[in-house]
Amino acid sequence: MKRPAWPAGRLEKLTILLTAAFAAVTLAWFLLPQGEPAVPTVVEPGHSLRAAEPVETPDAPGILEGEVLDLNTASEEDLTRLPGIGEKRAADIAAWREENGGFETEEDLMEVSGIGEGTYDRVAPYITVNGEGERHGADPGS
């Protein structure tokens, strides 16, 4: 069975119609707003674009740069990330917190058995009480 041929001029009209439709869609794509323009990223010399990755502090490898733990809300697991605080000492901190109704100042940490001035000095830049209070020691972000 032989297929009937397209009538003269019909194929040309269909081609022109499809071309015009494609041109209209393409023109609309470029002329209509496409959302908010991208904000350029400015990178200072010496900084990486990969700043979203966790960056540990050199003197407290378990703590991320700029991180501060609240002694009244941090879990025992989080407390072990403080320099010089292991699982036993973290459990002692949590027990002291429960027995005494929490820490009123960062210095109260030295009342926990086994935590003296040396340990306190190492953890002071990374702790707070109730998310506020005076910062002690060096700035962990510097």
Side-chain angles (χ1 to χ4, degrees), residues 24 41 56 73:
T41 302
E56 294 185 347
T73 59

Side-chain angles (χ1 to χ4, degrees), residues 68-135:
V68 178
L69 297 178
D70 188 324
L71 292 176
N72 289 320
T73 59
S75 67
E76 286 184 37
E77 183 179 340
D78 282 339
L79 291 170
T80 62
R81 295 174 30 230
L82 291 168
I85 304 295
E87 290 179 17
K88 166 88 171 81
R89 205 59 66 225
D92 292 344
I93 294 170
W96 191 96
R97 177 173 65 193
E98 291 299 316
E99 292 170 11
N100 297 285
F103 295 90
E104 290 184 24
T105 67
E106 289 91 356
E107 291 85 6
D108 287 347
L109 183 63
M110 289 188 284
E111 295 181 24
V112 175
S113 175
I115 297 182
E117 277 190 55
T119 302
Y120 175 77
D121 289 342
R122 283 195 307 266
V123 302
Y126 311 106
I127 61 172
T128 188
V129 176
N130 297 325
E132 45 190 59
E134 189 177 321
R135 298 301 322 133

Side-chain angles (χ1 to χ4, degrees), residues 1 14 29 31 40 47-48 64 66 103 114:
M1 175 178 237
L14 182 61
W29 176 265
L31 294 180
H47 286 79
S48 170
L64 301 177
F103 295 90

